């Protein structure tokens, strides 16, 4: 039975009944827009009953006002009797069916003797199409039945310059065609012209009629939103020639085969899981679509693809660290194909990242805190401290690359797609540190960590650790990529390691706790998870007592209504410490105050206020608390670990239908007395590259087999296979250890070449920083440290002493 369940999922057939109650979310009236469901398919997105559609990658507005361009929603068709937000319509019911990805409005009038069902959805195979289907059915009346409809596209979009409306005939069917171009580019240096969009639609009759001779009738309206006219016409021909409804169902089956995590014994929690998986996966591309888009995938915004069309609202469709640190981890394990697309977006915008670093006086690439189409900084002007100080996003992106490498072991990808990204972000941190002569270590000053309530601090511990991760990984990737990194010497990779090991590690030995930053006073309130992120996801080695003290200290001072992701991380931390009651309390807190009835839409705020709608950052954090917390799944170099898997509160089973590691898929089923792993299909000879341990015993690994355990499991790359795959077997990924004095690193001084190079580099940077400091002092922004000059003098003195000896 276990095997049958897995193969049912693996074949793309739903492992749950299509009418399962937990997929259905019902209401008798429409809520306000902030908590109305968002429907999307990776190419387009919209809010149900909303007058706007947004397309992947299409933005309008210069710099900080860049936002998703609002395209009038010609697919916003409504039953007139059921479309009022001000009054409660009579005889109307509303339903979000997450299983099928459809929103339904039902109007049943017993007195009139009829029933109308209207469903709207973005097709997941024909992903440029929104489908509206209206079904009229006679119940008792023998008269002609007329149903009033509305096509509410809203006001004319200020984001678009429209061309004259045309008539378009495709295979004998006539549509209205609107093509337009966005008014303003994001930055003329990186974007030469606006985006083109084309919409094909039909005028919807004001009344739909069921004649006296008919018992039922169906009306179908297809609206296509494309980047080009050519794509639009191709989509229309494909729709006409194919069963688009069946192909949509197939894609939904494939999606749920990956994201269909479920629990038994707790329907309330199961519905939270389904809603989180649905809203997160909806903004991602389908596994297959009718035609490839002319646009690559442009990342995930905290509010998904269907929102962000207004200035200064719903994050304007921008990408933040939310993508890599909160949404990426569950996507990576469940859906690595889309995880790769998320990372690919960061490789498209590297020109802006290189310019950003140079403009700020640094080397390498510095990624923008808020990024949209071009990758330039698009944080609104009213938040100046964030882009100026919150630099950890550069390390967050490199850390996501590291996790993808852990999950896939794909060295070819590492060397080709992201080699330069990892190397250049490491260069950024090498130039970003300040030498502290008093401690003989490197500080990172003028910074802001994840706790956005405090900026311009020194040695944010989260930032220092993520920077060290980046530098260690940069040395490892640089070793693998040395042939393609023209002009780069081994000395530079050695400098990455040397700087990483000597980045300051804030630690209070008296209380066995990590201060959030150098100037932090214990008891000061903070916004959200910061220091606690060291335990997970950063997996920075520390004593269990330190991890416990970090959790207790920062639990007491974190805003109780802060972002949902905070409590997901606290959940995982308490599980790692085997503090199950604390974990359960944090787990409930991570979702109960953030889900909005009736459609389980995630909200940014925990105080009852709406905040940004469709806050899929929270959904991503919540799914991590299940997969990486209760299920105990962790990615590490060369292996996937399942450690002490447990059931969430008040459940009897936790089932994850698909986890991915090194080209192999497997299901994880956790019960009250143990767990079961069932392996499905693998790419090529992937099984031959892996070793399986269950409860510390090695097991033979075969496709289609299942294995039971009680404590732990590991799927790992064979050591001999790793060496065979890697002609650079001498390349070592060092553990992230920091806080060492430079003089103590291996008891050796730098080589002569390293000293000269590092001394000249640091001296030059010192001059640049002095100039930058003077400029900042003029603007009243405080003095910039010149410790780099001191370091240069100290290193030169060491060199003279060495030469004298």
């Amino acid at each position: 039975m276990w095997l049958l369940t897995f193969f049912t999922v693996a074949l793309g057939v739903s492992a749950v009944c299509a009418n399962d109650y937990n997929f259905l979310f019902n209401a008798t009236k429409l809520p306000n827009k902030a908590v109305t469901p968002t429907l999307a398919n990776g190419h387009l997105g919209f809010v149900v009953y909303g007058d706007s559609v947004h397309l992947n990658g299409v933005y309008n507005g210069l710099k900080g006002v860049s936002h998703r361009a609002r395209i009038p929603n010609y697919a916003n068709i409504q039953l007139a009797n059921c479309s009022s937000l001000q009054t409660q319509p009579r005889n109307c019911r509303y339903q979000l069916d997450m299983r099928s990805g459809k929103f339904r409005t039902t109007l049943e009038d017993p007195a009139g003797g009829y029933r109308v069902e209207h469903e709207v959805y973005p097709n997941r195979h024909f992903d440029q199409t929104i489908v509206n289907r209206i079904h009229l059915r006679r119940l008792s009346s023998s008269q002609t039945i007329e149903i009033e409809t509305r096509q509410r596209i809203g006001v004319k979009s200020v984001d678009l310059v429209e061309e004259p409306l045309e008539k378009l005939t495709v295979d004998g069917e006539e549509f209205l065609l609107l093509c337009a171009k966005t008014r303003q580019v994001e930055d003329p240096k990186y974007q030469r012209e606006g985006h083109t969009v084309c919409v094909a639609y039909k005028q919807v009759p004001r009344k739909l009629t069921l004649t006296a001779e008919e018992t039922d009738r169906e009306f179908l309206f297809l609206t296509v939103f494309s980047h080009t006219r050519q794509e639009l016409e191709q989509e229309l021909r494909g729709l006409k020639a194919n069963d688009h409804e069946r192909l949509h169902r197939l894609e939904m089956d494939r999606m749920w085969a990956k994201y269909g995590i479920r629990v038994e014994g707790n329907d309330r929690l199961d519905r939270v899981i389904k809603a989180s998986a649905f809203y997160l996966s909806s903004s991602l591309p389908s596994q297959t679509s009718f035609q490839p888009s002319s646009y690559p995938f442009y990342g995930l915004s905290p509010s998904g693809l269907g929102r962000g069309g207004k200035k200064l609202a719903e994050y304007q469709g921008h990408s933040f660290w939310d993508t890599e640190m909160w949404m990426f981890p569950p996507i990576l394990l469940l859906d690595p194909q889309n995880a790769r697309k998320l990372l690919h977006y960061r490789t498209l915008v590297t020109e802006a990242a290189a310019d950003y670093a140079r403009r700020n006086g640094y080397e390498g690439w510095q990624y923008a805190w808020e990024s949209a189409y071009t990758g330039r900084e698009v944080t609104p002007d009213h938040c100046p401290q964030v882009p100026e100080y919150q630099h950890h996003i550069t390390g967050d992106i490199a850390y996501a690359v590291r996790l993808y490498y852990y999950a896939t072991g794909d060295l070819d990808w590492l060397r080709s797609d992201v080699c330069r990204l990892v190397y250049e972000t490491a260069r950024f941190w090498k130039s970003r540190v300040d030498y502290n002569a008093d401690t003989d270590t490197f500080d990172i000053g003028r910074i802001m960590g994840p706790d956005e309530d405090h900026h311009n601090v020194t040695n944010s511990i989260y930032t220092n650790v993520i920077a060290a991760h980046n530098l260690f990984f940069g040395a490892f990737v640089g070793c693998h990529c040395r042939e393609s990194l023209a002009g780069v010497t081994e000395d530079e990779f050695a400098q990455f390691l040397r700087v990483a090991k000597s980045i300051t590690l804030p630690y209070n030995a008296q209380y066995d706790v990590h201060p959030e930053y150098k100037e932090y006073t214990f008891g000061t309130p903070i916004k959200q998870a910061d220091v606690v992120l060291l335990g997970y996801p950063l997996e920075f080695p520390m004593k269990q007592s330190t991890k416990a003290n970090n959790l207790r200290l920062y639990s007491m001072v974190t805003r109780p209504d802060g972002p949902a992701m905070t409590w997901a991380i606290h959940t995982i931390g308490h599980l790692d410490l085997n503090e199950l009651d604390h974990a359960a309390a944090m787990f409930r807190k991570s979702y109960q105050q953030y889900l909005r009835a009736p459609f389980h839409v995630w909200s940014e705020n925990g105080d009852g206020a709406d905040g940004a709608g469709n806050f899929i950052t929270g959904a991503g954090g919540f799914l991590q608390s299940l997969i990486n917390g209760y299920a105990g799944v962790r990615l590490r170099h060369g292996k996937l670990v399942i450690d002490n898997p447990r059931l969430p509160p008040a459940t009897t089973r936790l089932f994850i239908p698909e986890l991915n590691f090194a080209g192999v898929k497997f299901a994880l089923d956790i019960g009250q007395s143990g767990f079961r792993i069932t392996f499905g299909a693998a790419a090529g000879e992937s099984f031959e590259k892996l070793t399986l341990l269950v409860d510390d015993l090695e097991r033979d690994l075969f496709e289609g087999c299942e294995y039971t355990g009680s404590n732990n499991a590991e799927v790992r790359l064979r050591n001999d296979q790793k060496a065979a795959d890697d002609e650079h077997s001498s390349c070592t990924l060092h553990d992230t250890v920091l806080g060492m004095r430079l003089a103590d690193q291996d008891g050796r001084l730098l080589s002569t070449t390293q000293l000269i190079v590092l001394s000249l580099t640091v001296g030059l940077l010192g001059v640049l920083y002095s100039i930058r400091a003077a400029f900042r002092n003029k603007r009243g922004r405080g003095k910039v440290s010149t410790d780099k000059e001191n370091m240069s003098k100290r290193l030169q003195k060491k060199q003279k002493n060495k030469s004298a000896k």
Side-chain angles (χ1 to χ4, degrees):
M1 184 64 182
W2 293 86
L3 201 56
L4 177 61
T5 299
F6 175 73
F7 280 122
T8 300
V9 173
L11 290 171
V13 180
S14 174
V16 292
C17 182
N19 62 359
D20 187 328
Y21 166 77
N22 288 348
F23 284 99
L24 302 176
F25 296 78
N26 300 292
T28 56
K29 64 178 180 179
L30 288 171
N32 65 57
K33 181 184 175 183
V35 296
T36 300
T38 299
L39 299 181
N41 60 13
H43 171 77
L44 59 80
F46 61 98
V47 177
V48 171
Y49 275 48
D51 63 5
S52 304
V53 169
H54 304 300
L55 293 189
N56 165 52
V58 177
Y59 294 84
N60 182 64
L62 184 68
K63 301 177 181 178
V65 296
S66 173
H67 58 277
R68 292 200 193 278
R70 177 188 170 264
I71 303 166
N73 186 2
Y74 290 91
N76 185 25
I77 301 168
Q78 304 174 7
L79 303 180
N81 286 4
C82 299
S83 60
S84 174
L85 291 174
Q86 284 72 39
T87 61
Q88 182 172 341
R90 297 177 56 193
N91 305 321
C92 295
R93 297 291 183 271
Y94 308 90
Q95 182 183 81
L96 174 61
D97 182 351
M98 294 183 181
R99 178 68 190 84
S100 66
K102 299 177 178 180
F103 189 87
R104 299 189 183 97
T105 301
T106 303
L107 169 61
E108 186 166 332
D109 188 346
Y114 64 87
R115 174 188 172 90
V116 186
E117 183 176 276
H118 169 216
E119 64 181 24
V120 59
Y121 64 95
N123 194 293
R124 285 202 67 88
H125 181 73
F126 290 92
D127 59 8
Q128 300 181 23
T129 303
I130 299 176
V131 179
N132 278 273
R133 189 187 305 274
I134 301 176
H135 189 185
L136 276 62
R137 180 177 301 164
R138 185 182 305 281
L139 298 179
S140 58
S141 172
S142 59
Q143 305 297 317
T144 296
I145 297 171
E146 292 184 335
I147 303 300
E148 290 192 19
T149 64
R150 299 289 184 268
Q151 188 173 20
R152 292 179 168 160
I153 64 173
V155 298
K156 190 173 182 178
S157 174
V158 297
D159 295 328
L160 303 177
V161 178
E162 298 180 359
E163 297 176 4
L165 197 65
E166 297 182 42
K167 289 186 178 180
L168 174 67
T169 301
V170 177
D171 293 341
E173 189 169 3
E174 190 174 276
F175 294 84
L176 293 172
L177 173 67
L178 173 70
C179 287
K181 183 168 283 190
T182 53
R183 288 184 179 276
Q184 196 171 32
V185 298
E186 192 170 278
D187 188 323
K189 181 174 183 180
Y190 312 111
Q191 184 183 0
R192 298 176 64 180
E193 59 182 3
H195 305 273
T196 298
V197 296
C198 288
V199 185
Y201 67 98
K202 289 188 175 182
Q203 292 284 7
V204 177
R206 296 283 290 181
K207 292 183 179 180
L208 302 180
T209 302
L210 188 65
T211 66
E213 293 77 24
E214 296 175 305
T215 57
D216 70 310
R217 186 177 180 186
E218 186 173 276
F219 299 84
L220 182 67
F221 303 98
L222 303 176
T223 312
V224 177
F225 298 81
S226 301
H227 291 117
T228 68
R229 178 169 179 160
Q230 181 181 1
E231 287 180 352
L232 182 145
E233 292 186 15
Q234 188 171 337
E235 184 92 351
L236 287 171
R237 291 190 181 95
L239 288 163
K240 197 169 184 66
N242 292 276
D243 184 350
H244 54 83
E245 169 68 17
R246 181 185 64 82
L247 293 170
H248 169 76
R249 287 197 305 268
L250 181 59
E251 285 303 320
M252 289 303 299
D253 286 343
R254 287 173 174 159
M255 187 274 281
W256 285 115
K258 295 177 179 293
Y259 289 88
I261 302 169
R262 66 182 187 272
V263 295
E264 294 179 2
N266 189 338
D267 281 348
R268 282 190 172 186
L269 178 58
D270 192 55
R271 289 166 67 78
V272 174
I273 295 170
K274 286 175 168 53
S276 301
F278 175 76
Y279 290 122
L280 179 63
S281 63
S282 291
S283 285
L284 295 168
S286 295
Q287 188 170 325
T288 61
S289 56
F290 172 68
Q291 60 177 321
S293 172
S294 55
Y295 276 45
F297 188 59
Y298 271 86
L300 281 178
S301 173
S303 288
L305 181 53
R307 295 175 184 259
K310 292 183 178 179
K311 299 175 186 177
L312 308 181
E314 295 179 325
Y315 297 107
Q316 301 180 172
H318 298 166
S319 290
F320 297 70
W321 77 310
D322 302 49
T323 304
E324 282 75 21
M325 300 307 291
W326 298 108
M327 296 181 264
F328 179 84
I331 294 168
L332 173 60
L333 288 166
L334 305 176
D335 187 6
Q337 186 179 31
N338 275 321
R340 184 165 178 162
K341 290 178 181 177
L342 289 173
L343 294 177
H344 181 64
Y345 162 64
R346 297 298 190 178
T347 69
L348 299 174
V349 295
T350 56
E351 183 184 0
D355 288 346
Y356 200 28
R358 280 194 298 272
R359 190 161 59 248
N360 290 329
Y362 307 126
E363 299 176 15
W365 294 350
Q366 179 185 356
Y367 279 92
W369 177 246
E370 296 190 30
S371 177
Y373 180 67
T374 67
R376 65 108 57 226
E377 183 63 76
V378 288
T379 301
D381 291 341
H382 71 276
C383 302
Q385 297 90 355
V386 179
E388 183 169 358
Y389 298 109
Q390 201 160 16
H391 297 172
H392 62 79
I393 188 170
T394 298
D396 300 332
I397 292 167
Y399 191 67
V401 173
R402 177 196 284 243
L403 289 180
Y404 185 87
Y405 171 66
Y406 283 0
T408 63
D410 192 341
L411 277 168
D412 290 337
W413 169 83
L414 196 70
R415 293 177 184 130
S416 58
D417 288 25
V418 294
C419 169
R420 179 65 65 175
L421 184 156
V422 177
Y423 165 71
E424 297 290 356
T425 52
R427 284 185 67 217
F428 166 76
W429 290 113
K430 178 174 68 72
S431 69
R432 181 66 178 80
V433 299
D434 302 315
Y435 179 69
N436 186 328
D438 294 334
T439 61
D440 195 26
T441 59
F442 293 104
D443 293 339
I444 300 180
R446 310 170 306 282
I447 205 73
M448 176 195 289
D451 172 19
E452 294 175 329
D453 285 350
H454 301 94
H455 64 275
N456 197 12
V457 302
T458 305
N459 291 331
S460 149
I461 189 167
Y462 174 88
T463 304
N464 285 18
V465 170
I466 203 75
H469 271 323
N470 198 163
L471 286 158
F472 280 115
F473 194 51
F476 173 72
V477 174
C479 178
H480 282 290
C481 298
R482 50 183 176 256
E483 288 86 357
S484 61
L485 293 172
V488 179
T489 66
E490 298 289 338
D491 283 346
E492 183 154 21
F493 306 141
Q495 288 178 39
F496 288 171
L497 294 175
R498 195 161 186 81
V499 171
K501 291 175 184 178
S502 290
I503 291 177
T504 301
L505 179 67
Y507 175 69
N508 186 306
Q510 180 180 358
Y511 297 104
D512 186 22
V513 70
H514 290 296
E516 186 178 279
Y517 47 87
K518 177 182 177 181
E519 304 89 347
Y520 182 77
T521 302
F522 292 117
T524 302
I526 67 172
K527 177 182 177 180
Q528 62 187 51
D530 190 305
V531 177
V532 295
L533 295 165
L534 269 60
Y536 174 87
L538 299 191
E539 298 216 300
F540 180 70
M542 69 183 82
K543 295 183 295 183
Q544 291 290 86
S545 59
T546 310
K547 185 182 293 186
N549 289 337
N550 286 343
L551 274 172
R552 293 188 181 101
L553 170 68
Y554 293 104
S555 290
M556 292 187 293
V557 297
T558 303
R559 288 189 202 171
D561 60 349
M565 313 87 69
T566 290
W567 314 118
I569 296 303
H570 282 248
T571 300
I572 297 171
H574 286 300
L575 287 170
D576 285 350
L577 294 168
N578 206 33
E579 298 173 345
L580 301 188
D581 289 342
H582 288 304
M586 292 294 102
F587 182 64
R588 287 189 290 269
K589 189 172 184 178
S590 75
Y591 66 87
Q592 285 182 346
Q593 60 176 331
Y594 299 95
L595 287 181
R596 299 292 183 261
F599 300 111
H600 275 42
V601 174
W602 276 87
S603 177
E604 179 182 20
N605 296 333
D607 57 1
D610 292 327
N614 194 46
F615 191 61
I616 55 175
T617 302
F622 170 76
L623 291 175
Q624 288 186 63
S625 70
L626 281 171
I627 300 168
N628 307 106
Y630 282 101
V633 179
R634 303 292 171 88
L635 287 168
R636 291 171 187 147
H637 190 203
K639 60 187 176 182
L640 180 147
V641 176
I642 301 170
D643 187 25
N644 198 13
R646 286 165 286 210
L647 289 171
T651 63
T652 58
R653 183 188 183 197
L654 168 60
F655 179 65
I656 303 175
E658 181 176 310
L659 291 167
N660 291 266
F661 178 73
V664 171
K665 304 174 189 293
F666 63 93
L668 176 60
D669 207 332
I670 302 169
Q672 294 174 312
S673 58
F675 64 90
R676 187 181 303 263
I677 302 174
T678 308
F679 284 87
E685 300 176 349
S686 296
F687 278 109
E688 298 177 8
K689 300 179 181 180
L690 300 177
T691 298
L692 173 67
L693 282 79
V694 179
D695 291 342
D696 301 317
L697 298 175
E698 186 169 341
R699 308 286 296 273
D700 293 329
L701 182 56
F702 300 104
E703 181 175 345
C705 286
E706 54 187 43
Y707 307 84
T708 58
S710 57
N711 297 313
N712 57 70
E714 281 188 16
V715 187
R716 62 189 186 193
L717 292 171
R718 295 180 183 275
N719 291 330
D720 56 344
Q721 186 63 50
K722 286 172 68 178
D725 288 346
D726 182 11
E727 68 268 25
H728 299 288
S729 55
S730 61
C731 298
T732 301
L733 179 54
H734 294 271
D735 293 335
T736 299
V737 177
L738 54 154
M740 298 175 61
R741 294 191 311 137
L742 279 170
D744 292 339
Q745 287 197 33
D746 301 325
R748 298 192 304 270
L749 293 175
L750 290 168
S751 69
T752 302
T753 302
Q754 290 171 332
L755 268 171
I756 293 171
V757 172
L758 187 58
S759 181
L760 290 173
T761 301
V762 172
L764 177 60
L765 286 173
V767 174
L768 291 173
Y769 270 95
S770 296
I771 295 171
R772 192 163 179 252
F775 177 70
R776 285 194 176 194
N777 284 337
K778 275 189 172 183
R779 296 166 63 186
R781 292 191 176 184
K783 183 179 179 181
V784 177
S785 170
T786 58
D787 282 338
K788 287 185 185 283
E789 294 175 347
N790 296 331
M791 181 187 178
S792 177
K793 293 175 183 178
R794 186 174 182 276
L795 290 175
Q796 290 170 2
K797 184 177 180 180
K798 282 186 178 182
Q799 177 60 23
K800 287 180 181 179
N801 292 339
K802 185 178 179 182
S803 299
K805 291 179 181 179

